[in-house]
mmCIF file of all heavy atoms in Angstrom:
data_model
loop_
_atom_site.group_PDB
_atom_site.id
_atom_site.type_symbol
_atom_site.label_atom_id
_atom_site.label_comp_id
_atom_site.label_asym_id
_atom_site.label_seq_id
_atom_site.Cartn_x
_atom_site.Cartn_y
_atom_site.Cartn_z
ATOM 1 N N VAL A 363 97.898 89.190 120.605
ATOM 2 C CA VAL A 363 97.759 89.469 119.155
ATOM 3 C C VAL A 363 99.039 90.201 118.710
ATOM 4 O O VAL A 363 99.440 91.207 119.283
ATOM 5 C CB VAL A 363 96.513 90.356 118.896
ATOM 6 C CG1 VAL A 363 96.518 90.836 117.457
ATOM 7 C CG2 VAL A 363 95.220 89.545 119.145
ATOM 8 N N ALA A 364 99.647 89.595 117.680
ATOM 9 C CA ALA A 364 100.915 90.173 117.161
ATOM 10 C C ALA A 364 100.671 90.865 115.841
ATOM 11 O O ALA A 364 99.954 90.325 114.977
ATOM 12 C CB ALA A 364 101.960 89.073 117.004
ATOM 13 N N ILE A 365 101.269 92.024 115.678
ATOM 14 C CA ILE A 365 101.187 92.749 114.399
ATOM 15 C C ILE A 365 102.562 92.678 113.772
ATOM 16 O O ILE A 365 103.536 93.254 114.315
ATOM 17 C CB ILE A 365 100.757 94.216 114.592
ATOM 18 C CG1 ILE A 365 99.495 94.343 115.472
ATOM 19 C CG2 ILE A 365 100.553 94.889 113.251
ATOM 20 C CD1 ILE A 365 98.250 93.739 114.915
ATOM 21 N N LEU A 366 102.657 91.971 112.644
ATOM 22 C CA LEU A 366 103.904 91.822 111.961
ATOM 23 C C LEU A 366 104.120 92.963 110.946
ATOM 24 O O LEU A 366 103.382 93.060 109.988
ATOM 25 C CB LEU A 366 103.950 90.440 111.253
ATOM 26 C CG LEU A 366 105.200 90.094 110.476
ATOM 27 C CD1 LEU A 366 106.422 90.069 111.364
ATOM 28 C CD2 LEU A 366 105.038 88.712 109.822
ATOM 29 N N GLY A 367 105.094 93.804 111.225
ATOM 30 C CA GLY A 367 105.348 94.968 110.372
ATOM 31 C C GLY A 367 104.789 96.217 111.037
ATOM 32 O O GLY A 367 103.720 96.210 111.623
ATOM 33 N N LEU A 368 105.568 97.315 110.962
ATOM 34 C CA LEU A 368 105.167 98.577 111.587
ATOM 35 C C LEU A 368 105.151 99.710 110.555
ATOM 36 O O LEU A 368 105.595 100.809 110.836
ATOM 37 C CB LEU A 368 106.138 98.942 112.704
ATOM 38 C CG LEU A 368 105.803 98.376 114.098
ATOM 39 C CD1 LEU A 368 106.876 98.818 115.085
ATOM 40 C CD2 LEU A 368 104.427 98.825 114.560
ATOM 41 N N GLY A 369 104.669 99.417 109.336
ATOM 42 C CA GLY A 369 104.605 100.417 108.292
ATOM 43 C C GLY A 369 103.181 101.002 108.195
ATOM 44 O O GLY A 369 102.519 101.163 109.154
ATOM 45 N N GLY A 370 102.767 101.251 106.937
ATOM 46 C CA GLY A 370 101.473 101.879 106.690
ATOM 47 C C GLY A 370 100.310 101.152 107.295
ATOM 48 O O GLY A 370 99.419 101.739 107.906
ATOM 49 N N LEU A 371 100.317 99.824 107.136
ATOM 50 C CA LEU A 371 99.208 99.045 107.754
ATOM 51 C C LEU A 371 99.525 98.767 109.218
ATOM 52 O O LEU A 371 98.645 98.890 110.055
ATOM 53 C CB LEU A 371 99.009 97.713 107.002
ATOM 54 C CG LEU A 371 98.202 97.835 105.698
ATOM 55 C CD1 LEU A 371 99.152 98.010 104.504
ATOM 56 C CD2 LEU A 371 97.341 96.617 105.484
ATOM 57 N N GLY A 372 100.756 98.364 109.506
ATOM 58 C CA GLY A 372 101.121 97.918 110.824
ATOM 59 C C GLY A 372 100.964 98.992 111.887
ATOM 60 O O GLY A 372 100.528 98.692 113.027
ATOM 61 N N HIS A 373 101.290 100.245 111.562
ATOM 62 C CA HIS A 373 101.206 101.281 112.631
ATOM 63 C C HIS A 373 99.763 101.546 112.988
ATOM 64 O O HIS A 373 99.472 101.989 114.123
ATOM 65 C CB HIS A 373 101.948 102.550 112.207
ATOM 66 C CG HIS A 373 101.177 103.542 111.421
ATOM 67 N ND1 HIS A 373 100.785 103.327 110.111
ATOM 68 C CD2 HIS A 373 100.719 104.767 111.758
ATOM 69 C CE1 HIS A 373 100.124 104.411 109.677
ATOM 70 N NE2 HIS A 373 100.065 105.296 110.655
ATOM 71 N N LEU A 374 98.837 101.240 112.079
ATOM 72 C CA LEU A 374 97.399 101.338 112.427
ATOM 73 C C LEU A 374 96.965 100.056 113.113
ATOM 74 O O LEU A 374 96.184 100.104 114.088
ATOM 75 C CB LEU A 374 96.566 101.541 111.145
ATOM 76 C CG LEU A 374 96.699 102.963 110.556
ATOM 77 C CD1 LEU A 374 96.153 103.011 109.132
ATOM 78 C CD2 LEU A 374 95.937 103.972 111.426
ATOM 79 N N GLY A 375 97.471 98.913 112.637
ATOM 80 C CA GLY A 375 97.106 97.626 113.265
ATOM 81 C C GLY A 375 97.472 97.573 114.751
ATOM 82 O O GLY A 375 96.664 97.098 115.546
ATOM 83 N N VAL A 376 98.615 98.109 115.106
ATOM 84 C CA VAL A 376 98.999 98.119 116.540
ATOM 85 C C VAL A 376 98.029 98.995 117.328
ATOM 86 O O VAL A 376 97.572 98.592 118.410
ATOM 87 C CB VAL A 376 100.459 98.611 116.729
ATOM 88 C CG1 VAL A 376 100.764 98.878 118.187
ATOM 89 C CG2 VAL A 376 101.440 97.594 116.149
#
Side-chain angles (χ1 to χ4, degrees):
V363 170
I365 310 296
L366 180 59
L368 272 179
L371 281 93
H373 87 290
L374 288 164
V376 169

